[in-house]
Amino acid sequence: MANTTAASGSAPGGQSWARFKAWSAESGQWLWGTAQGAFNEKASFSQIVVDAVIGMIPLVGDATAVRDLIAVVIGLIESPEKREKVRDWVLLVVLLFALIPVFGGVIKGVGRIIVKVAKEAEALVGAAKAAKLQEGAREIIAFLNRIGFKDAEKWFLALRIADYQAKLLERFNKLMEVLNGVLVQIQRKAGNLMPASLNDRIETLKAGVATLKQLAPDMLVKAVKELDQKLREMQAYVHSGGETTSRVAAHEVATGERVVTRADEARLIEDGALPARTANGWRKNEAIVGQPETYEGVYKHEPGYPDLTKYPRNDHYVQIEAFSGKIINRPLKPGEQIYRFFGPEGVTHRYKLDESHPGGGWWGLGSPPKTAKEWREKAAVLDEWNRDGYLVVGTVPADSNIKAAVGTISEQSGKNIPGQYLPGGNPQAVIDMDIAAKGGLANVAEEVIASGKAKPWKDPVTGMTFEIRPTGWTDANGIHGYISMPGAASVQAARLGSREMATKENREVTK
C-alpha cells in the first residue's frame, strides 16, 4: 500500500492533501476512540484506512463518501442496538452505492435525499406528510437535472433499488475484507511498538467487522426493501404523464371516483390505495394465509360481497394476488359493462387446455379489448387458462344491485406453458354469479357456437343483459407475451413439475 503520509504527489481520490488529512483526522476519532497512542502514529494509521476505502470508489467525485462510510460502519460495530435497526442499515446501503461504477454515485445522491425526506416525513401525517414527500420528489428531479440527466423523470421512475441488491451485498463484503485487511496490516506494521490499548481497539474493530459480515445477508436485504419502498412513495409524486397518471387512472376506474386534485392523489398514495408498478407490469398483491398483515392494507371482505379469501391455494390467497393495489367492494353502476372470453378445449404449445365457460365470477370491467394482444397483455389471461373464441359482454341495468370486488389486474407468468409474461393493468370485477345465470349463458353460448352469430340474453334475476359473439381473432393463442417460444421439452418439464394443473376455478382467477 502506498505511503499516504508523503507530502509530494497527489492525495488519494484526487483530493487535496489538506482535505485528505482532514478526513483522516475525523475518521481517526471514530476508529481509535480514546485508545492511547502518539498523535502522529494514530494519524498515520487513519490515513492508511481512508486510503484503502478511497481505493474502492470508482469515481473521483464520490470520494467524499469514504468518511461517511467509515462513520456508519464504526457506528454499527459499536452499537448492538443500531445493528438491529433496519434504518441504520438503510444509510449504509445508500453509501455503498458510491462503490458501484457508472450510476452508483447518482443513486447515492438520490438515496441521501430519500433518507433525509423520509426521516422528516415520519413526524408528519395527512396532507403535511404528503406535501413533504412531494417536496422530496421535486428535490430529486432537480438534483438529476443539475447533473445533466436529459430525462430525469423517466430515469427516476424506472429506478429500483432491489435491482442492485446482489451488487450491494458483494460490495459490502469486499469493504469488510478491505477493512479487516488494513487493520491486520496496521498491527503488523506497528508490531510490538503498538500500545496495548490501541491493539485492543483494533481487535474490537476486527471482531465487529466479522459480526457485520454475518448480519449483512439478512439486514442488508431488509434495508434494500425499505429503501425501495421509500423510493416508490416518492416516485408516486412525479407527474410525468407516466406511472402516476396510469396508477391514478386505474384507481379511478376501480372506485368510480374522480381524483380531482393533487391533494386527493397524495392521500391515495399515503393510504396505499394506488396499484404499484414493477419494471414491466403491475405488481401482484401479497396475501399469505394466516398472515393478515400481508393483505389487510389492500383488501377486507365485507358481508354481501365476494369473499376473495374463500379459496386459498399453496398457503396464498391467490384471488387477492390476482389484483394489484386496493380492492374495492362496491355495487356495479348502471350502464357499466363487464366482459369475459371463453372457448373450446384445445392445445397451445403442446399443452392441452379444457374448455372455458361464458359464465363465472371473474370479469373484465369496462369496454372489452379490441384485439387479442390487448386482451392477453392488459387482462393478463395466460394461454394456459383460456383459448378464446367467444366474447360475453354484460351491461348493468339501472335498478341493479350487483355487488363486486373491483381493482386492477396484476401481472402473470406462465407455469404450464413457460416463457409467457403478461403485465396486466386493466380493471377487473369479481361477482357472485348464481348457477342459474351460468346455465343460461351456457345455453346461449351453445347456440352462438353452432350458428357463428351473436345472440343476446337477459338474466331474469338481476336484469343484466348480455351479448355473446365470436371474436374472430386468429392470433389469440401462443403468440403474445413470449420472449422466445417454448419447445416440447420445456412444456413437458413444466407439466411434470406441476401436476396441480389449473382447475376451472383456478383458471378463473384472472378471468
Side-chain angles (χ1 to χ4, degrees):
M1 181 171 293
N3 180 7
T4 58
T5 60
S8 60
S10 300
Q15 308 301 311
S16 67
W17 278 107
R19 175 173 289 185
F20 173 73
K21 290 180 178 180
W23 288 350
S24 299
E26 193 169 356
S27 298
Q29 295 176 11
W30 303 316
L31 285 163
W32 318 127
T34 59
Q36 294 181 354
F39 172 77
N40 288 338
E41 180 181 65
K42 290 199 290 187
S44 176
F45 292 161
S46 301
Q47 289 176 10
I48 292 173
V49 175
V50 172
D51 184 20
V53 179
I54 284 179
M56 293 186 65
I57 295 176
L59 297 176
V60 170
D62 284 327
T64 53
V66 66
R67 177 187 57 189
D68 294 336
L69 260 175
I70 293 172
V72 171
V73 168
I74 298 302
L76 290 172
I77 288 175
E78 292 185 332
S79 173
E81 184 178 334
K82 283 187 175 182
R83 291 199 293 269
E84 295 176 359
K85 291 183 177 179
V86 176
R87 177 187 301 175
D88 290 283
W89 287 82
V90 167
L91 181 56
L92 176 62
V93 165
V94 170
L95 295 170
L96 285 172
F97 272 106
L99 309 183
I100 297 178
V102 188
F103 287 118
V106 177
I107 301 174
K108 182 203 70 179
V110 171
R112 281 184 179 274
I113 297 173
I114 292 173
V115 170
K116 174 179 71 75
V117 173
K119 184 177 181 180
E120 294 170 352
E122 282 181 359
L124 305 174
V125 295
K129 182 176 181 179
K132 174 57 67 176
L133 294 173
Q134 191 172 36
E135 177 186 320
R138 288 197 297 266
E139 186 177 345
I140 289 170
I141 297 303
F143 163 72
L144 294 172
N145 285 329
R146 283 197 305 272
I147 61 177
F149 272 75
K150 293 182 179 180
D151 195 340
E153 290 184 349
K154 182 178 179 180
W155 185 88
F156 178 56
L157 288 174
L159 177 62
R160 296 293 183 270
I161 303 297
D163 292 346
Y164 296 88
Q165 181 174 295
K167 189 65 176 178
L168 288 164
L169 187 58
E170 183 272 326
R171 289 283 79 194
F172 174 79
N173 287 334
K174 181 63 177 178
L175 176 62
M176 295 299 99
E177 291 173 8
V178 167
L179 288 176
N180 185 73
V182 171
L183 292 171
V184 170
Q185 178 188 345
I186 289 172
Q187 286 179 310
R188 290 174 178 170
K189 182 176 181 179
N192 295 331
L193 298 177
M194 179 179 289
S197 62
L198 193 54
N199 187 67
D200 290 344
R201 174 61 176 172
I202 290 178
E203 288 298 323
T204 298
L205 292 175
K206 287 164 60 180
V209 165
T211 298
L212 294 186
K213 198 168 182 180
Q214 289 178 343
L215 293 174
D218 178 46
M219 296 304 293
L220 266 182
V221 169
K222 290 179 179 178
V224 166
K225 185 176 181 179
E226 180 162 320
L227 184 59
D228 224 357
Q229 178 60 37
K230 300 298 183 186
L231 166 67
R232 288 197 294 272
E233 288 176 4
M234 291 191 190
Q235 286 173 328
Y237 288 88
V238 177
H239 294 264
S240 66
E243 181 170 1
T244 300
T245 302
S246 61
R247 292 174 71 200
V248 170
H251 180 80
E252 286 178 341
V253 171
T255 61
E257 298 174 350
R258 291 287 298 169
V259 180
V260 179
T261 68
R262 290 195 177 184
D264 293 333
E265 182 178 307
R267 281 191 290 272
L268 289 174
I269 294 166
E270 183 185 359
D271 292 339
L274 296 185
R277 297 301 299 267
T278 60
N280 299 304
W282 295 84
R283 187 185 306 279
K284 286 186 177 184
N285 292 333
E286 184 179 43
I288 302 174
V289 175
Q291 298 183 34
E293 67 276 8
T294 61
Y295 60 87
E296 59 189 3
V298 296
Y299 176 71
K300 182 178 180 181
H301 172 60
E302 295 178 26
Y305 286 88
D307 185 358
L308 303 186
T309 65
K310 194 172 181 179
Y311 301 108
R313 189 172 79 241
N314 297 330
D315 293 324
H316 283 255
Y317 292 122
V318 292
Q319 296 188 342
I320 297 175
E321 294 183 342
F323 288 83
S324 175
K326 198 83 169 180
I327 302 168
I328 307 297
N329 294 312
R330 69 169 176 87
L332 295 178
K333 297 184 176 183
E336 274 192 305
Q337 287 188 321
I338 59 174
Y339 64 87
R340 59 186 279 132
F341 293 80
F342 70 98
E345 64 180 13
V347 176
T348 300
H349 291 303
R350 300 177 177 84
Y351 178 74
K352 187 178 185 305
L353 285 79
D354 293 334
E355 64 176 336
S356 47
H357 305 279
W362 291 77
W363 297 77
L365 182 63
S367 300
K370 294 180 173 58
T371 65
K373 177 180 172 63
E374 181 185 0
W375 170 54
R376 286 290 184 199
E377 293 182 349
K378 294 187 177 181
V381 180
L382 293 167
D383 280 341
E384 63 195 58
W385 291 335
N386 191 324
R387 280 184 53 79
D388 171 53
Y390 302 88
L391 167 66
V392 188
V393 180
T395 303
V396 181
D399 56 351
S400 173
N401 188 30
I402 300 172
K403 294 182 177 180
V406 182
T408 301
I409 298 169
S410 65
E411 60 191 2
Q412 300 291 332
S413 297
K415 294 180 181 179
N416 294 315
I417 303 178
Q420 188 179 31
Y421 168 82
L422 302 169
N426 270 5
Q428 67 182 350
V430 181
I431 63 175
D432 286 329
M433 177 172 278
D434 61 32
I435 295 176
K438 292 179 181 178
L441 287 172
N443 291 335
V444 175
E446 289 180 2
E447 296 180 29
V448 173
I449 293 171
S451 67
K453 297 180 180 179
K455 187 175 181 64
W457 181 75
K458 182 176 182 179
D459 184 348
V461 177
T462 64
M464 179 174 283
T465 57
F466 295 90
E467 182 185 75
I468 301 179
R469 59 179 182 263
T471 63
W473 294 337
T474 59
D475 62 338
N477 298 302
I479 296 175
H480 304 294
Y482 294 92
I483 297 175
S484 60
M485 294 300 174
S490 61
V491 173
Q492 180 66 11
R495 293 179 65 183
L496 292 174
S498 179
R499 284 293 184 186
E500 299 179 6
M501 292 203 182
T503 62
K504 293 174 183 177
E505 176 184 86
N506 292 339
R507 284 193 299 274
E508 280 192 347
V509 166
T510 56
K511 258 36 71 209

